Amino acid sequence: MRDILQPLKNVADVGVILTSGDGLQRRCHPLLAAYVGDYPEQVLVAGVKSGLCPKGTVDKALFGIQTPCELRKVNEAVDALSWRDTHPGDLKGYIAACKAAGVKPIKAFWMDYPRCDIYQAITPDILHQLYQGMVKHTIAWLKDVYGEKALDDCFQCLPVNHQLRQF
């Protein structure tokens, strides 16, 4: 990702003049505003431990309770990950700084990208986080409440739709 974003990084800070669809020229700044990936990739990019939220710092004990989630602080992560540059040879201090910031000691591609907050850029993974999380939970709940036979009976009562295809 560092190599892919390298040409954009140079103009992200100062901007570049581009012609828009209406013919006007505008200064544009190609920022890293969204990062799409499944959960394991989000954890890898954010540099957090698996099982934790890559965006926020909510405690596992509070899952299921409607409490606002405080986003991770990108400046703390960048400072911790930059420890090696400012304190060469202090490996213990580097690991301690990373642990205090809640990140793994990685070389993150987003550290030196202008105005990048990777924790705000990470977007939900629709397939895994919503479908498999919410829909599967709802179906399991319905099976528990109504029973599998009642659900099967309801589905069998649906009218036939000849437009559906099974691939």
Side-chain angles (χ1 to χ4, degrees), residues 103-161:
V103 294
K104 293 180 185 176
I106 61 170
K107 187 165 176 78
F109 70 88
W110 45 265
M111 273 181 34
D112 54 354
Y113 198 87
R115 296 177 187 83
C116 176
D117 187 342
I118 196 65
Y119 302 122
Q120 288 201 17
I122 292 174
T123 61
D125 176 16
I126 303 288
L127 172 65
H128 297 98
Q129 292 171 331
L130 290 180
Y131 173 72
Q132 291 181 344
M134 297 298 296
V135 174
K136 284 189 173 184
H137 171 75
T138 303
I139 290 172
W141 178 77
L142 288 170
K143 284 180 181 179
D144 186 50
V145 170
Y146 294 105
E148 286 189 39
K149 181 168 179 3
L151 284 179
D152 287 344
D153 292 343
C154 287
F155 284 122
Q156 288 174 3
C157 290
L158 291 173
V160 176
N161 184 345

Side-chain angles (χ1 to χ4, degrees), residues 13-30:
D13 201 25
V14 295
V16 63
I17 303 296
L18 296 174
T19 304
S20 64
D22 59 3
L24 294 176
Q25 290 188 333
R26 294 181 169 88
R27 179 177 301 279
C28 298
H29 298 266

Side-chain angles (χ1 to χ4, degrees), residues 3-148:
D3 293 339
I4 292 170
L5 293 175
Q6 185 61 39
L8 295 176
K9 185 173 87 171
N10 297 332
V11 295
D13 201 25
V14 295
V16 63
I17 303 296
L18 296 174
T19 304
S20 64
D22 59 3
L24 294 176
Q25 290 188 333
R26 294 181 169 88
R27 179 177 301 279
C28 298
H29 298 266
L31 302 176
L32 181 61
Y35 189 90
V36 180
D38 59 3
Y39 178 73
E41 190 174 344
Q42 291 175 1
V43 167
L44 179 69
V45 167
V48 299
K49 292 181 182 176
S50 185
L52 297 179
C53 176
K55 291 179 67 88
T57 58
V58 69
D59 188 73
K60 285 183 187 180
L62 298 176
F63 285 175
I65 300 171
Q66 288 191 349
T67 56
C69 177
E70 184 179 340
L71 288 178
R72 295 181 184 277
K73 294 175 177 56
V74 72
N75 293 337
E76 290 178 9
V78 169
D79 290 345
L81 294 172
S82 300
W83 184 272
R84 286 188 309 184
D85 301 333
T86 56
H87 302 85
D90 184 12
L91 186 60
K92 288 184 180 181
Y94 172 59
I95 292 172
C98 289
K99 186 174 183 177
V103 294
K104 293 180 185 176
I106 61 170
K107 187 165 176 78
F109 70 88
W110 45 265
M111 273 181 34
D112 54 354
Y113 198 87
R115 296 177 187 83
C116 176
D117 187 342
I118 196 65
Y119 302 122
Q120 288 201 17
I122 292 174
T123 61
D125 176 16
I126 303 288
L127 172 65
H128 297 98
Q129 292 171 331
L130 290 180
Y131 173 72
Q132 291 181 344
M134 297 298 296
V135 174
K136 284 189 173 184
H137 171 75
T138 303
I139 290 172
W141 178 77
L142 288 170
K143 284 180 181 179
D144 186 50
V145 170
Y146 294 105
E148 286 189 39

